[in-house]
Amino acid sequence: MTRGTQQAAGGRAPAERWREREEEDSLFRQLRLTVRQGLEIDAGTPGHAWEALTQAGAWEFPLPIAMEGLDLGQSVITMVCEEGGNAMQPVPLTDTLLALDLLSGLGPLTSEGLEGLLDRVRDGAHPIAVPGRLPDPRGTVPPGITWKPEGTGGIVLNGTGGPFAAGVGPGSLLVLASGPDGPCVALVDLPAEGVELRPLRDHGGGAVAGAVFEEAHVPARAVLLQGIAAEQALARVGLRASVHQASLLAGITAAALTAVVSRIRSRQQFGQALVKHQAPRLRVAGLLARLDAVRWAVGDAAKDLDENRLTSGEAAGLIALTAETALDVTRDAVHLHGASGLVRSGFVAGCYRRAAWEALRCGRPTHLWDIAAHGT
């Protein structure tokens, strides 16, 4: 039986306090359960997980009503990201949400190609991945990929970006590049000349890939934003991307802790279950408390996003705290599993290895703490 199956099959199992929040109303809890059931019970592969997210309407949740979306707010979006992280399926969830955020902010879509693309993304037929890092809470474009203009109004891309979750093959790459006139956001449909996806070694956390751009020509119609317009848009979506990524990391952390609790309950030492020993019990209790604090912080940040109160400094502190917590907790989960935790194909080892690169997608914690300290 997978995690959450007992709860879904009659509600007889005790509630896992590190995965529920008392203030969630019944409708929100039912929506959470629907997403969780799809990801944990019905999804055995990344492809099935992506289909489950689509059937739950995940790609409709963030879109405004004017674009035939549901506009359910950031609390719902962060819940989907947390459940996606807890399922530990390597799908480009936060990447596609970032793309939808940018596309919906363009106003009336002027290109028929982009309009058709939005429909395909909404239908789950066109995952979008962001090679490399997401924008930080201030909207700063990460290093690695550069652009230069060409005479036709398009751009030329060079550089390397990665890693990103590649359990589901992306239909397009949302490329964030820096250049002579500031940042640039382009949508590169795959396959494309001059663009190579390179699978990275899977250490148990799921399929991961990077992207290499060598004089990749992008036509003008695929260049979404440039210069000041790109800076403004990235500053807006950078806040949301940070909260979404923090929620995803909280889900990965919860998955590791769920495995740890199960492990110490079943593992025997000196004739009794490991959970009966004070040292591991207190250690796990401390880890659960840290996760609980992070989850409350993510929930509060989601509410502040909906009310336009979240600042870049607060978002930076949130993602830095969550990244450090995910790394600490998943590392301790490996230790608490003993020798089995070191097996690359083991679940907690996969949680640790995935957290190791997901935790850096919005920037290094030391840099993020510096942003938080300065409040900008």
Side-chain angles (χ1 to χ4, degrees):
M1 226 178 232
T2 57
R3 300 183 313 277
T5 305
Q6 291 180 327
Q7 291 169 302
R12 293 186 295 275
E16 296 176 355
R17 291 297 302 275
W18 58 92
R19 299 184 59 194
E20 308 293 349
R21 290 185 56 160
E22 293 180 355
E23 87 282 5
E24 291 180 356
D25 58 36
S26 58
L27 183 60
F28 190 95
R29 287 181 180 177
Q30 184 58 48
L31 184 57
R32 180 188 286 276
L33 181 60
T34 299
V35 175
R36 183 179 299 172
Q37 284 179 320
L39 288 172
E40 293 189 351
I41 300 175
D42 303 327
T45 66
H48 291 153
W50 191 261
E51 183 179 353
L53 288 168
T54 302
Q55 290 179 349
W59 319 123
E60 306 279 352
F61 294 168
L63 289 174
I65 296 176
M67 290 186 171
E68 301 180 3
L70 297 176
D71 197 11
L72 294 185
Q74 293 301 314
S75 293
V76 172
I77 305 304
T78 54
M79 176 272 291
V80 172
C81 291
E82 182 182 352
E83 295 300 329
N86 187 76
M88 275 297 291
Q89 293 288 359
V91 297
L93 173 56
T94 54
D95 303 48
T96 300
L97 290 173
L98 174 63
L100 287 172
D101 204 350
L102 276 169
L103 290 173
S104 64
L106 293 177
L109 298 177
T110 57
S111 168
E112 294 182 0
L114 286 180
E115 187 173 2
L117 172 67
L118 188 60
D119 290 336
R120 295 196 301 275
V121 173
R122 185 170 25 222
D123 293 340
H126 200 93
I128 298 178
V130 178
R133 291 183 180 176
L134 305 174
D136 71 15
R138 297 176 303 182
T140 303
V141 172
I145 305 174
T146 61
W147 70 276
K148 58 184 178 182
E150 61 178 357
T152 59
I155 61 172
V156 179
L157 296 173
N158 285 282
T160 303
F164 60 88
V168 176
S172 296
L173 296 177
L174 184 71
V175 182
L176 311 178
S178 56
D181 298 321
C184 176
V185 182
L187 202 59
V188 179
D189 290 336
L190 298 175
E193 186 177 354
V195 181
E196 180 186 359
L197 296 188
R198 293 182 178 176
L200 303 179
R201 187 173 184 181
D202 176 13
H203 290 291
V208 184
V212 178
F213 301 88
E214 295 182 358
E215 293 295 312
H217 295 266
V218 180
R221 60 179 175 78
V223 179
L224 302 182
L225 296 161
Q226 284 181 332
I228 296 178
E231 290 179 358
Q232 294 173 342
L234 289 173
R236 176 178 62 85
V237 302
L239 286 175
R240 299 185 182 187
S242 297
V243 177
H244 297 167
Q245 189 67 12
S247 189
L248 181 83
L249 287 167
I252 295 172
T253 306
L257 279 175
T258 301
V260 166
V261 171
S262 176
R263 176 68 172 175
I264 66 172
R265 284 175 177 170
S266 61
R267 187 179 177 185
Q268 297 286 321
Q269 191 174 76
F270 304 117
Q272 61 180 349
L274 192 59
V275 72
K276 300 294 185 180
H277 296 272
Q278 187 177 35
R281 184 170 58 191
L282 291 179
R283 188 174 180 183
V284 171
L287 298 179
L288 292 175
R290 291 186 65 181
L291 173 60
D292 210 28
V294 164
R295 294 185 70 245
W296 279 101
V298 171
D300 291 341
K303 293 178 181 178
D304 288 342
L305 270 178
D306 282 329
E307 298 173 5
N308 294 318
R309 295 186 307 186
L310 189 69
T311 67
S312 59
E314 292 168 341
L318 172 69
I319 185 63
L321 173 66
T322 309
E324 290 182 346
T325 301
L327 292 171
D328 290 346
V329 171
T330 53
R331 181 190 62 236
D332 282 4
V334 172
H335 292 167
L336 285 164
H337 268 68
S340 64
L342 300 175
V343 179
R344 286 184 175 179
S345 59
F347 182 77
V348 293
C351 290
Y352 174 75
R353 290 185 172 94
R354 184 169 178 192
W357 62 267
E358 290 277 15
L360 302 180
R361 291 205 76 194
C362 290
R364 295 186 177 277
T366 51
H367 173 65
L368 293 168
W369 281 124
D370 185 62
I371 296 175
H374 291 84
T376 58

